[in-house]
Amino acid sequence: MLRSRDGHWHYRFEYKGREYTGNTGLVANERERKSAEKLARAAKASVIASSLLPPKPVEKPFVDAAAEFLRWAEMVEYRATPGTWQRIRVSFVSLMVHFQAEYVSAVGPAEIEVYKFWRLNTTRVKEITLRHDLHALSLFFQYAQKQKWVPKLHNPVREVSIPSDKDATREHVLTAQEEKAYFDRASDVKDRNGCRNLYDLGRLMLQQGCRPEELMVLKKQHVNIEKRQMLIVAGKTKAARRTLNLTDESIAILRPRLASGDTQWVFPSDRRAGRPISKLQAPHDRVCREAEVSFVLYDLRHTFATRMIDSGASLPTVAAILGHSNLRTISRYVHPTAEAQREAMEKYEAAQNRSKLRVV
């Protein structure tokens, strides 16, 4: 709609309940009317086109957005599985350091490739750690879409390669010599920050086959010394929420921890009052260097599984103890030693010979 105002043609129109007005700059006479109408139609077309464009993302500093995401992950999304939140939190330590100067919307595939290079070549993490980091970052971008910090369906992690399960999983079964060197050194430096927790948690992993995060969030109320049982409630699946029978060594480790302090946690944090410990990577790496061994903390769980199988335990039994819902998963954690394989072949051959004798 055109109207004359101050000697010029002005337009006015509505679109989606909003009124738009403007000055065409043309003199308000009949000779300029058609040109003014053309300008008015162009203005309306521009408004319609703009409305079809995706909304501009909210400019949010990465560090602030990450802090908000971690609060949501802890208090809402992974409230029932604190082990998952703890793993995400550990990944975000490096992510927040690397992207601290960026806005969320500025982080794209190229920036993530730089992060990958930094993690693998500067901080020298293993591929399994990088895999965890990238999965945590992908979850973050899913949350960022909902908060409109990035455009809808924008997740740059999907445009970069992530180490596969096969390539990233580093499974190492400790030898008796490696175990002795590691725990001797961890015992020698128990008074050093984190090493008391490291020694006890590591021994419990070898004794019970727990995941480290399951022990980190273990509450005293879930340990029953009299019944020699420990309840794992922080598992992600029904199979992971299980009751474990305690060994003598486990009881010796747990008993003084249950009796100490007024905290509800078996492994309370020294830095965050009222919270459990969340990571032991630094003391573990330090002890490995000083003991001249190389393995990741999770390898203690692999070692437990392999030793259980070698001792004659059945796969379904070990799967239940580890908290796996199927036997296919446990195959990743079980690595029969060369000696165990040799003994198995000897038993098989002996059985075959006995069968031949019966036939004759």
Side-chain angles (χ1 to χ4, degrees):
M1 174 181 178
L2 289 178
R3 57 183 176 176
S4 174
R5 177 177 292 179
D6 300 326
H8 291 89
W9 286 118
H10 287 244
Y11 62 81
R12 182 177 66 182
F13 62 85
E14 286 189 3
Y15 181 70
K16 291 186 176 181
R18 180 178 175 182
E19 184 179 88
Y20 296 86
T21 61
N23 186 351
T24 66
L26 299 176
V27 177
N29 57 39
E30 288 304 311
R31 187 175 63 182
E32 301 288 358
R33 179 184 285 275
K34 287 187 177 181
S35 296
E37 290 173 345
K38 185 176 180 180
L39 289 174
R41 287 194 297 271
K44 186 172 184 178
S46 177
V47 168
I48 294 173
S50 297
S51 71
L52 298 177
L53 295 174
K56 187 177 180 180
V58 176
E59 292 294 338
K60 186 84 169 180
F62 186 90
V63 172
D64 294 344
E68 184 175 324
F69 165 72
L70 289 174
R71 286 194 297 272
W72 168 81
E74 178 185 15
M75 306 303 295
V76 181
E77 188 69 3
Y78 302 108
R79 182 178 180 180
T81 55
T84 301
W85 171 75
Q86 295 285 5
R87 187 172 67 245
I88 292 172
R89 179 177 174 273
V90 170
S91 289
F92 263 84
V93 171
S94 63
L95 288 165
M96 293 172 77
V97 168
H98 187 79
F99 294 117
Q100 60 181 322
E102 301 285 356
Y103 283 93
V104 177
S105 58
V107 178
E111 289 72 25
I112 296 175
E113 291 292 354
V114 173
Y115 170 79
K116 288 169 58 180
F117 183 88
W118 173 67
R119 287 294 271 163
L120 291 173
N121 295 280
T122 302
T123 62
R124 296 190 177 279
V125 300
K126 299 175 178 66
E127 288 193 339
I128 185 63
T129 301
L130 177 61
R131 178 178 172 83
H132 288 326
D133 291 353
L134 295 177
H135 278 308
L137 186 59
S138 182
L139 291 172
F140 166 78
F141 273 105
Q142 293 175 38
Y143 180 79
Q145 293 173 34
K146 298 174 183 177
Q147 302 302 319
K148 296 182 171 51
W149 299 332
V150 294
K152 189 177 181 181
L153 303 180
H154 175 75
N155 189 340
V157 180
R158 294 174 180 166
E159 300 179 49
V160 303
S161 63
I162 298 177
S164 68
D165 256 340
K166 181 178 179 180
D167 295 334
T169 303
R170 176 188 181 278
E171 294 156 347
H172 174 75
V173 177
L174 273 70
T175 64
Q177 293 76 18
E178 289 173 324
E179 177 187 347
K180 184 176 187 307
Y182 179 80
F183 284 105
D184 280 353
R185 186 56 188 159
S187 178
D188 289 343
V189 293
K190 275 185 177 180
D191 292 335
R192 196 161 61 187
N193 184 36
C195 288
R196 160 61 73 175
N197 286 329
L198 177 66
Y199 181 91
D200 286 358
L201 186 138
R203 293 307 305 174
L204 285 173
M205 288 182 67
L206 267 182
Q207 290 293 307
Q208 305 296 154
C210 298
R211 300 172 178 89
E213 60 268 22
E214 291 173 341
L215 293 172
M216 289 179 183
V217 297
L218 180 65
K219 293 182 178 181
K220 293 179 178 179
Q221 69 188 68
H222 295 138
V223 179
N224 190 318
I225 296 297
E226 287 69 31
K227 291 184 177 181
R228 299 176 66 90
Q229 289 182 337
M230 177 169 66
L231 181 62
I232 303 298
V233 299
K236 295 181 288 185
T237 64
K238 182 178 179 180
R241 296 185 285 275
R242 62 205 188 277
T243 299
L244 300 176
N245 298 297
L246 298 173
T247 66
D248 288 342
E249 182 178 348
S250 296
I251 290 174
I253 292 170
L254 290 168
R255 192 186 299 276
R257 285 185 169 272
L258 297 181
S260 64
D262 56 358
T263 177
Q264 64 175 322
W265 307 104
V266 174
F267 289 92
S269 172
D270 294 329
R271 298 181 177 180
R272 299 182 301 149
R275 302 293 298 171
I277 60 174
S278 59
K279 57 182 178 179
L280 287 172
Q281 191 61 48
H284 168 76
D285 289 344
R286 191 162 57 238
V287 168
C288 280
R289 286 195 302 270
E290 295 174 0
E292 298 183 350
V293 296
S294 178
F295 64 92
V296 297
L297 195 60
Y298 213 88
D299 287 334
L300 296 173
R301 176 171 157 88
H302 302 323
T303 302
F304 166 86
T306 298
R307 291 177 180 179
M308 282 287 290
I309 294 296
D310 288 349
S311 71
S314 67
L315 285 177
T317 299
V318 178
I321 294 173
L322 292 176
H324 291 314
S325 56
N326 58 68
L327 298 184
R328 182 175 58 185
T329 306
I330 195 177
S331 65
R332 296 176 51 199
Y333 300 90
V334 178
H335 311 276
T337 61
E339 178 66 18
Q341 294 179 57
R342 183 186 63 77
E343 291 179 359
M345 289 304 299
E346 289 177 352
K347 291 179 181 179
Y348 174 76
E349 184 178 21
Q352 291 290 94
N353 290 337
R354 288 193 299 272
S355 177
K356 290 177 182 178
L357 289 174
R358 285 196 297 272
V359 172
V360 173

